Amino acid sequence: MKPEPHHPRCRWCGPQRRIGLTGGIATGKSTVAAILSDRHGLPVLDADVYARKLLAPGTAACQAVLDRYGQQVQTPGGALDRRALGRIVFARPGERRWLEVLIHPLVKDAFTRDLAWHHQVATVVLMAPLLFEAGLEALCSEVWLVDLDEAGQLERLLARDHLSPQEARQRIQAQWPLARKRGLADVILKNHGDLVELARQVDEALAKQAPRP
């Protein structure tokens, strides 16, 4: 795959600093978000939180998923069985694309709504594992990538989510390769498990204002 040119898409150019925080699955995005929130007091808008709310029982998106897959993705209590849904969409790319077409626009709307709510805050963090895949970098003034080699991703994912190796690899491969994302990011945070070093990188990146494209 040929490397992509830097900043191929437009970015936010308003007065507010909007940090898009992304990375591969299990690379440590939540750890970086916690540093930015707890240590620096920045609001963190989380795409995964939005997605969970959008798929909560009684929502239109939840009903669309249940209409498509039926009881195989429904818990005895009537809620969405996210683990069962994950087994389907990560094993069948066409089904994953269907779900992304359903959810990505709604997540973008949620980001836009909450950015308006935080419009007076100097710096806001937008955390999204599929930031580039969903075109959400257009909402950001800069993008930070939490980077980790695939072996490290796999090890952490197996320990964290108790998946089979096949399931874990399916989830890693469902996202753009980190090599592709590195060429699109303004800041690359190397996460090798040393929290002190990771916090140092975050502090350093936050002290710098990334140049606008």
Side-chain angles (χ1 to χ4, degrees), residues 145-148 182 188-193 197-198 201:
L145 175 73
V146 187
D147 196 16
L148 181 67
R182 288 182 196 116
I188 297 176
L189 304 170
K190 297 287 187 180
N191 183 21
H192 301 295
E197 169 58 20
L198 184 61
Q201 293 179 64

Side-chain angles (χ1 to χ4, degrees), residues 11 14 50 62 111 117 147:
R11 295 281 179 84
Y50 293 144
C62 178
F111 271 124
W117 177 261
D147 196 16

Side-chain angles (χ1 to χ4, degrees), residues 99-109 130 133-136:
L99 185 63
E100 289 172 351
V101 168
L102 174 69
I103 295 298
H104 284 178
L106 300 176
V107 169
K108 186 173 184 178
D109 288 345
L130 302 181
E133 293 91 330
L136 294 170

Side-chain angles (χ1 to χ4, degrees), residues 22-101:
T22 192
I25 189 170
T27 56
K29 297 180 297 299
S30 295
T31 302
V32 172
I35 294 170
L36 290 167
S37 176
D38 300 342
R39 183 165 170 155
H40 296 282
L42 300 183
V44 176
L45 312 181
D46 187 342
D48 285 345
V49 171
Y50 293 144
R52 284 195 292 272
K53 290 180 179 179
L54 289 164
L55 290 171
T59 62
C62 178
Q63 190 58 53
V65 172
L66 292 174
D67 288 346
R68 188 171 182 89
Y69 302 115
Q71 292 184 348
Q72 62 180 325
V73 297
Q74 192 171 25
T75 67
L80 196 63
D81 186 335
R82 295 175 62 87
R83 193 174 184 89
L85 178 61
R87 285 195 294 269
I88 293 172
V89 300
F90 287 111
R92 298 159 62 184
E95 296 305 312
R96 188 179 74 248
R97 285 192 291 272
W98 176 86
L99 185 63
E100 289 172 351
V101 168

Side-chain angles (χ1 to χ4, degrees), residues 17 19 142 144 187-189 199-210:
R17 186 178 187 182
I19 299 170
E142 62 200 79
W144 295 10
V187 173
I188 297 176
L189 304 170
R200 184 199 65 77
Q201 293 179 64
V202 171
D203 293 348
E204 184 177 283
L206 195 59
K208 296 178 180 179
Q209 181 72 47

